[in-house]
Amino acid sequence: MSAKPRSQGKRGRIITEYKNKTAHSNITSPPILAVSPGSAEYHSPYGPLSPTTPGPNGGHAMFHYSQEFFYDLIPEYMSAVYPVEPIITESELQTYIQFMDRDPEVRSFLYSFAACTLNLTRYGDSRTEDVVRSIETLVNYSMDTFRPMFVHAKGSVMRAMQSMFLHNCLMTKQASDAAFYYMRDSISIIQLMRIDNKDSTASLSPIERARRQRLYWLAFIQERFVAILDYRQAILSPMDGLPEDDSSIPLSVHEGFNQIIKLFRLLDADFLQNWLGSQNPGTVASSWIEEKSRELEGNEQDSDGYGLAMLTTMQRADLAITREWLRTLVWRLAMSQALLSSRSQRECLSLLFPVRLSKNLRQQVAGMSRADIEVHGSNVQKLFEITDTIADVLIHVPAPSLEETGSRVDDFLFILDFVLLFPTLDQTRRGILLEKLERLQTMFPEVVSTTSSPNMPGGFDIQSPSTDPWYYATQSKMPEETGFGGMAPLPQMEQPWMGSGTNQQAAWNHISRRLSTVTLPQPI
């Protein structure tokens, strides 16, 4: 069988089909609030004001949300959004709100600000159907009133962030094409502002120059994430250095943002070329895999302990999950290139690396709240990728004992329970994880006696079905002892724990019962 590109597997097709089905959804507006008129003077960054734009449901969009509505969102924005997107300040928001009735462009921006703030701060039980509809309505208002770039128009930080806010909301809704459009729009504005040109920014104040540098890096991070998630090309190059020091922002925000930049800089041009390019074995050397793994380890070791100590639990959660996600990506590249071995002394080239990762991730996640993780919308997707990888290893790579199998299953189910309870996990990815869970459940049916089940010693059969994309990817690429497909079918493998006895049966049934107790909430 000829090798297939990783992005064209079953999971990729399922996600693509879901995107096509949900491309056109009906939006219902939430109750609307009366607006309060402003009074002070304000000069639009776009020049003369344009006429008020009709809203998506008729009438004029300017009459739908009051100033109080936007003011009330500022504290949540500053605590949850600003630390990871430290661009638009609190004082700017207050000024924008004060003059929103006189400037349609500012009002259009505020719709995106409100949508993004609600999107990142309403999680768990607070993410009700009304909230979801409100986010969708605000996104539609912002897009409907988005002023195009005219002949003599210039880019602005506000315009770039409006597109970035819209991108964030659309990513959560799995509207990847529209999200990509607005991310590229934001990047276009940033390039018009020539932020990466030192001569162009030399006349700016140190605070404004640092802010624009953070804006550039924010776009770089978002674009790299989308390049990996949706297999798209990236056009932004990294800047020469980290953002300059800025006394106007909290030190914890500055440090946390710099740490995330350092991680995403590891997704360099070579990484993206390897990820997006040909998946034929031999295109990526094991030495490159080992070097990239060392860079990830070095990034963790080189982090300033004092600097990390000042970070919030939300920031530390983002760093920890991002680092483990990157390690998973490197391992998956090694898997696709037939570089894995059960005998490798290098952890990054070991078949069992995701098993170790699951233990480490469980220890870290146990100390995090769901709020700390879900406030970063991208973390839910990163955890999905990690959990899906761990599931495939459990299915394809046997453990030397039932005790070890039980330990692996416990670690996996802890993370799976955590991920499935996120309401922002879309139904397609939720379904993918549940399919893997069902596979494991069929591998470990509960038995009354060792002779009553064909799946106990003598009849052990958990070979991959022909519909499994990982089975095809590995069977077609990996020689013996280099990956899942290189192993002999599990029914023919000798297992140290394939003996009979009451203890073995009890251990087996414990695994079976654990696999049947996963919480399956209904997504919104």
Side-chain angles (χ1 to χ4, degrees), residues 289-477:
I289 296 291
E290 293 185 39
E291 176 60 27
K292 189 58 65 174
S293 296
R294 280 194 294 269
E295 289 179 1
L296 277 167
E297 294 168 1
N299 180 279
E300 185 173 21
Q301 295 167 358
D302 293 342
S303 298
D304 179 13
Y306 173 76
L308 292 180
M310 72 174 64
L311 303 185
T312 65
T313 55
M314 177 186 71
Q315 290 172 304
R316 288 197 292 270
D318 189 29
L319 284 171
I321 291 173
T322 299
R323 183 176 287 109
E324 298 306 322
W325 173 66
L326 291 175
R327 286 171 172 159
T328 301
L329 297 182
V330 173
W331 183 87
R332 286 173 59 182
L333 269 174
M335 185 276 295
S336 72
Q337 296 296 304
L339 299 175
L340 302 179
S341 171
S342 60
R343 295 190 294 264
S344 176
Q345 298 300 309
R346 290 291 301 169
E347 192 174 60
C348 61
L349 297 175
S350 170
L351 280 167
L352 297 178
F353 168 75
V355 173
R356 196 282 307 170
L357 185 147
S358 68
K359 287 186 176 295
N360 184 44
L361 187 61
R362 177 178 181 175
Q363 293 173 354
Q364 296 187 68
V365 168
M368 304 174 187
S369 70
R370 295 186 185 278
D372 288 337
I373 294 175
E374 196 169 5
V375 71
H376 300 281
S378 63
N379 280 341
V380 176
Q381 300 302 325
K382 293 171 188 173
L383 280 176
F384 161 77
E385 297 287 344
I386 295 171
T387 308
D388 185 54
T389 300
I390 294 171
D392 282 312
V393 172
L394 284 176
I395 291 170
H396 290 275
V397 184
S401 68
L402 273 177
E403 180 181 7
E404 173 63 21
T405 300
S407 176
R408 294 181 185 181
V409 168
D410 280 341
D411 291 336
F412 165 70
L413 291 182
F414 178 88
I415 300 172
L416 181 67
D417 272 332
F418 207 86
V419 174
L420 288 178
L421 287 174
F422 287 123
T424 53
L425 181 69
D426 64 273
Q427 294 187 41
T428 300
R429 287 176 172 82
R430 188 185 304 273
I432 290 170
L433 293 180
L434 292 180
E435 284 183 7
K436 302 293 174 67
L437 175 63
E438 291 174 1
R439 285 284 311 283
L440 287 167
Q441 289 171 337
T442 60
M443 289 164 56
F444 293 95
E446 189 167 2
V447 296
V448 177
S449 67
T450 59
T451 60
S452 66
S453 173
N455 283 2
M456 286 298 283
F460 202 91
D461 185 6
I462 54 174
Q463 187 174 357
S464 305
S466 59
T467 57
D468 191 320
W470 275 63
Y471 179 76
Y472 281 133
T474 55
Q475 283 288 92
S476 63
K477 297 178 182 179

Side-chain angles (χ1 to χ4, degrees), residues 232-282:
R232 298 186 188 271
Q233 295 291 336
I235 60 176
L236 284 181
S237 300
M239 297 186 74
D240 292 337
L242 296 172
E244 298 175 18
D245 291 344
D246 185 350
S247 60
S248 69
I249 67 173
L251 189 57
S252 61
V253 171
H254 176 80
E255 179 64 24
F257 194 67
N258 282 354
Q259 291 296 332
I260 287 294
I261 292 173
K262 291 177 183 178
L263 281 175
F264 273 87
R265 279 196 308 194
L266 298 179
L267 298 178
D268 52 23
D270 287 342
F271 192 107
L272 293 183
Q273 180 179 357
N274 290 333
W275 185 261
L276 301 173
S278 171
Q279 297 304 302
N280 293 325

